[in-house]
Amino acid sequence: LDWQDHSASFRDIRYHKAEGIAKITIHRPEIRNAFRPLTVKEMRQALADARFDEGIGVIVLTGQGDLAFCSGGDQRVRGDSGYRDENGMHHLNVLDLQREIRSCPKPVIAMVAGYAIGGGHVLHVVCDLTIAADNARFGQTGPKVGSFDGGFGASYLANVVGQKKAREIWFLCRQYDAREALAMGLVNTVVPLAELERETVAWCRQILEHSPTALRMLKSAFNAGTDGQAGIQELAGNATMLFYMTEEGQEGRNAYLEKRLPDFGKFKRQP
Ligand code: 1HA
């Protein structure tokens, strides 16, 4: 794939686009792609760019190199109330990124080689799909290192793998290989490491052939069940968008602007 480089303004990530696919790569391989607040800030910027780029239909999230997707928060900058930025302020801004991955109306695919651990594991969990290389290893470490993600990291994980398995993952802090992850429904497929990007691009291309609106509606529908009022808002927002695209919706706007009574009489009441 002929990736175009859009990384210029970034330090901790690489950002590429090709053929309707945007690829966000955490680029801190010397520490297994652990994230600091700047990393997350840049990932959020790239994700927003991909969301608002009409030419992009699917987003891939990955880590630099073969050793890790992401090893979670950079423990070297963990302060007493969050992860320290360059001004000394403490953040848990990966929680914002998690929400933005879920509410992004385009499919987000985690492409995982090596470790997806701790907060890095949660990142793949909140992606729509996960394609794992055969060297991938998954797990949470929170109770070992004095942390926990009781949001999507726990409750949504339980939706994905079931309550028993989710509790095991968090309470025991074990690591699971790609085969075990596939067996528990934590990933969509496992491929040889050398095939990882090729296979991920093939999945992206298949998605790109499909109706963007149908995909958008489905993603918000899947979210609605688990995201409470915010999930319903997302699904309902899409319903409003579609209604705005109808003549019936537009009659209301036109009548207002033309200072006349709306004529909704011509619109059928569907059974
Ligand atoms: O829980 C949360 C949050 C919860 C709520 C809200 C926000 C949250 C935000 C973040 C998090 C968390 O992510 S907590 C969990 C933090 N992460 C971890 O506990 C994983 C730590 N790392 C490991 O367990 C292992 O490094 C590894 C299984 C990923 C890889 O093992 P491996 O291949 O044996 O490599 P290793 O030698 O351990 O690591 C290579 C280098 O990378 C080491 O540095 P060096 O000794 O060469 O100087 C290692 O210290 C560094 N490194 C790896 N992971 C991290 C790290 N440095 C800082 N932070 C890391 N997370």
Side-chain angles (χ1 to χ4, degrees):
L1 217 57
D2 184 19
W3 292 110
Q4 303 295 305
D5 193 358
H6 296 263
S7 310
S9 59
F10 298 127
R11 279 153 62 192
D12 283 10
I13 68 164
R14 298 290 179 269
Y15 182 42
H16 295 88
K17 297 181 189 178
E19 297 178 27
I21 306 169
K23 182 172 68 165
I24 302 170
T25 307
I26 305 174
H27 197 280
R28 307 187 80 208
E30 61 289 348
I31 50 165
R32 302 292 184 269
N33 296 315
F35 55 77
R36 56 178 172 172
L38 177 69
T39 323
V40 172
K41 185 178 171 187
E42 292 183 347
M43 291 172 80
R44 295 178 66 195
Q45 285 167 351
L47 183 68
D49 177 272
R51 175 179 177 165
F52 290 107
D53 184 337
E54 287 184 18
I56 295 298
V58 53
I59 298 154
V60 174
L61 196 61
T62 192
Q64 182 68 30
D66 297 342
L67 295 182
F69 170 77
C70 176
S71 62
D74 182 341
Q75 298 303 299
R76 300 171 311 179
V77 297
R78 182 167 153 189
D80 292 344
S81 63
Y83 293 84
R84 260 190 326 273
D85 69 14
E86 285 154 316
N87 301 317
M89 203 184 238
H90 294 179
H91 300 264
L92 296 174
N93 58 345
V94 77
L95 300 177
D96 299 303
L97 175 63
Q98 292 172 9
R99 282 200 309 276
E100 287 158 7
I101 289 170
R102 282 181 63 80
S103 60
C104 174
K106 300 171 181 179
V108 182
I109 301 181
M111 178 168 84
V112 178
Y115 289 103
I117 294 283
H121 186 258
V122 179
L123 278 182
H124 105 85
V125 167
V126 299
C127 288
D128 296 292
L129 303 173
T130 298
I131 317 252
D134 50 13
N135 76 334
R137 291 186 72 81
F138 302 87
Q140 300 295 156
T141 64
K144 257 206 302 211
V145 298
S147 182
F148 63 91
D149 183 338
F152 290 123
S155 57
Y156 184 62
L157 179 67
N159 280 328
V160 174
V161 298
Q163 286 283 343
K164 295 280 182 185
K165 211 68 198 175
R167 289 168 199 231
E168 173 190 315
I169 289 170
W170 275 100
F171 293 175
L172 280 77
C173 295
R174 284 186 184 163
Q175 288 179 4
Y176 303 85
D177 65 23
R179 190 182 43 82
E180 292 169 304
L182 185 63
M184 67 172 109
L186 187 58
V187 304
N188 295 85
T189 188
V190 178
V191 300
L193 176 59
E195 305 287 317
L196 181 60
E197 183 160 299
R198 196 185 331 210
E199 185 67 15
T200 305
V201 166
W203 283 55
C204 291
R205 285 189 172 136
Q206 199 168 353
I207 290 172
L208 285 165
E209 287 170 9
H210 297 151
S211 153
T213 306
L215 294 169
R216 179 189 181 100
M217 296 303 297
L218 281 165
K219 180 160 176 176
S220 64
F222 282 121
N223 287 349
T226 48
D227 289 3
Q229 198 66 52
I232 292 168
Q233 182 209 40
E234 212 177 282
L235 184 62
N238 283 327
T240 303
M241 180 189 82
L242 291 177
F243 184 48
Y244 272 29
M245 292 160 82
T246 65
E247 260 186 70
E248 183 179 344
Q250 290 164 15
E251 168 62 12
R253 173 200 62 194
N254 292 344
Y256 178 81
L257 291 176
E258 291 160 16
K259 299 188 187 304
R260 60 174 172 80
L261 286 175
D263 175 14
F264 290 117
K266 55 189 165 192
F267 301 107
K268 286 207 184 78
R269 290 185 175 80
Q270 303 290 345

